[in-house]
């Protein structure tokens, strides 16, 4: 029977960048680019950590692409025996941790891996995973090997312990901020036309504007303003292709200060004017 790593490699058409085993567990880093992928059912459940790349990965669910998107810092659980569909808009950088079913049964942890869970916040999982990746690319020494084994053991224990979201009141302030930022990003994607000023976003996260900017950029690689603008311009492309709305109406609907402001931003983003882009796709 093929391993999870073999199934994923065949789907993506490439081997993992790095992989290491913890007994029967497999830890593998994958980097892939734009496209849609049908992943066959896996042998064992997989704990997926989104460590980098462009924050726009969606899951095929209920006969459409999910409205929520995975971003760096998110985790996903893919149960065994379930085929899944994925859409990547840009570069994807994830780590998969294959969890042996027989060990789940011994640990009485089967239930948490029975159902699909997409793009939930997991600050500890991402921190452990990024540290392991850094060590895998470092010079090989006995001390490094021992340290990697310790980190892998911690990630294994964290995975088995459970990843059920904790109530907001129980979050320490830093983890709570990460959780809130994840929710804010999904809100922006769902309603790009909303009031997404820096002050408003920072207030929702419970942070000062300057601290919010630092945390947001560290999580996503972009500033809050850049993220909002991309969400609005992505929605503008959808409206230009799927509706007869005028350029001025789209600019107003998406919160741009004027049609000229919208046109300048769109040209910088797409390489052509809104009307020119609409003409090329129709």
């Amino acid at each position: 029977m093929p391993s999870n790593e073999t199934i994923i490699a065949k789907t993506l058409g490439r081997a993992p960048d790095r992989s290491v085993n913890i007994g029967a567990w497999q830890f593998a880093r994958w980097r892939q680019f734009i496209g849609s992928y049908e992943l066959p059912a896996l042998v064992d459940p997989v704990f997926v950590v989104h460590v980098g790349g462009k924050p726009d990965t969606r899951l095929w669910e209920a006969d459409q692409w999910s409205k929520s998107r995975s971003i760096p810092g998110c985790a996903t659980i893919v149960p065994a025996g379930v085929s899944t569909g994925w859409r990547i808009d840009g570069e994807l950088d994830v780590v998969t941790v294959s969890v042996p079913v027989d060990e789940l049964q011994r640990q009485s942890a089967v239930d948490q891996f029975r159902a699909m869970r997409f793009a939930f916040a997991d600050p500890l999982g991402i921190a452990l995973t990024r540290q392991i990746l850094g060590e895998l690319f470092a010079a090989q020494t006995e001390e490094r090997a021992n340290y990697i084994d310790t980190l892998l053991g911690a990630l294994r224990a964290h995975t088995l312990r459970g990843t059920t979201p904790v109530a907001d009141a129980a979050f320490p302030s830093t983890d709570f901020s990460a959780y809130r930022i994840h929710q804010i990003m999904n809100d922006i994607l769902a309603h790009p036309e909303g009031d997404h000023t820096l002050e408003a976003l920072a207030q929702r996260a419970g942070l000062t504007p300057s601290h919010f900017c630092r945390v947001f950029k560290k999580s996503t690689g972009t500033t809050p303003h850049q993220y909002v603008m991309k969400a609005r311009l992505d929605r503008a492309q959808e409206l230009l292709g799927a509706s007869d709305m005028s350029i001025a109406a789209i600019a107003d609907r998406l919160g741009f200060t004027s049609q000229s402001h919208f046109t300048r931003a769109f040209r910088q983003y797409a390489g052509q004017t809104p009307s020119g882009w609409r003409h090329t796709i129709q």
Side-chain angles (χ1 to χ4, degrees):
M1 182 178 295
S3 66
N4 282 355
E5 192 171 294
T6 300
I7 295 171
I8 296 171
K10 184 176 181 180
T11 300
L12 298 181
R14 61 193 301 172
D17 282 19
R18 288 287 190 278
S19 64
V20 63
N21 289 348
I22 329 167
W25 292 55
Q26 291 179 323
F27 176 101
R29 183 198 191 180
W30 309 87
R31 287 191 287 183
Q32 189 64 356
F33 299 92
I34 190 166
S36 297
Y37 302 90
E38 293 290 334
L39 182 65
L42 298 174
V43 178
D44 293 313
V46 172
F47 181 65
V48 185
V49 181
H50 193 158
V51 295
K54 191 175 180 181
D56 194 355
T57 300
R58 302 198 196 193
L59 173 70
W60 183 257
E61 56 183 11
D63 297 326
Q64 62 182 344
W65 294 112
S66 61
K67 292 184 179 179
S68 60
R69 310 180 190 195
S70 183
I71 62 174
C74 288
T76 292
I77 288 176
V78 181
V82 177
S83 60
T84 52
W86 305 88
R87 192 181 81 177
I88 303 168
D89 182 9
E91 182 184 5
L92 177 70
D93 191 348
V94 299
V95 166
T96 57
V97 182
S98 295
V99 187
V101 172
D102 58 349
E103 185 158 354
L104 290 179
Q105 293 170 341
R106 289 197 302 271
Q107 298 286 338
S108 300
V110 176
D111 287 346
Q112 71 195 52
F113 292 93
R114 288 191 190 279
M116 183 82 195
R117 289 187 60 205
F118 177 61
F120 58 90
D122 185 11
L124 180 55
I126 192 77
L128 287 169
T129 301
R130 283 176 171 161
Q131 188 65 37
I132 293 168
L133 281 177
E135 295 299 326
L136 289 178
F137 285 90
Q140 296 186 12
T141 64
E142 183 177 352
E143 292 78 8
R144 166 186 166 274
N146 291 335
Y147 185 44
I148 290 175
D149 285 343
T150 301
L151 291 170
L152 287 169
L155 181 61
R156 173 178 171 276
H158 171 67
T159 304
L160 285 175
R161 180 177 180 271
T163 53
T164 301
V166 182
D168 285 354
F171 272 87
S173 59
T174 53
D175 289 353
F176 179 66
S177 297
Y179 175 78
R180 279 287 180 87
I181 287 173
H182 177 222
Q183 301 305 312
I184 288 169
M185 295 173 80
N186 277 337
D187 287 345
I188 291 171
L189 295 175
H191 306 285
E193 72 285 352
D195 178 19
H196 301 309
T197 63
L198 176 59
E199 291 74 16
L201 295 175
Q203 183 177 17
R204 289 165 60 190
L207 303 172
T208 65
S210 58
H211 188 194
F212 177 77
C213 276
R214 289 194 297 272
V215 173
F216 192 97
K217 188 168 184 178
K218 184 177 180 180
S219 298
T220 68
T222 66
T223 67
H225 175 72
Q226 290 170 334
Y227 192 85
V228 171
M229 287 298 292
K230 181 187 181 304
R232 289 178 175 174
L233 292 167
D234 283 346
R235 183 62 58 83
Q237 288 183 325
E238 294 175 6
L239 292 173
L240 287 166
S243 75
D244 295 326
M245 291 178 65
S246 68
I247 306 300
I250 292 175
D252 181 65
R253 175 170 176 173
L254 293 178
F256 290 91
T257 56
S258 65
Q259 181 177 337
S260 59
H261 176 212
F262 170 54
T263 299
R264 286 195 304 271
F266 193 94
R267 184 196 295 272
Q268 184 176 14
Y269 180 69
Q272 54 188 322
T273 65
S275 58
W277 192 87
R278 171 177 268 170
H279 178 74
T280 61
I281 64 172
Q282 292 182 340

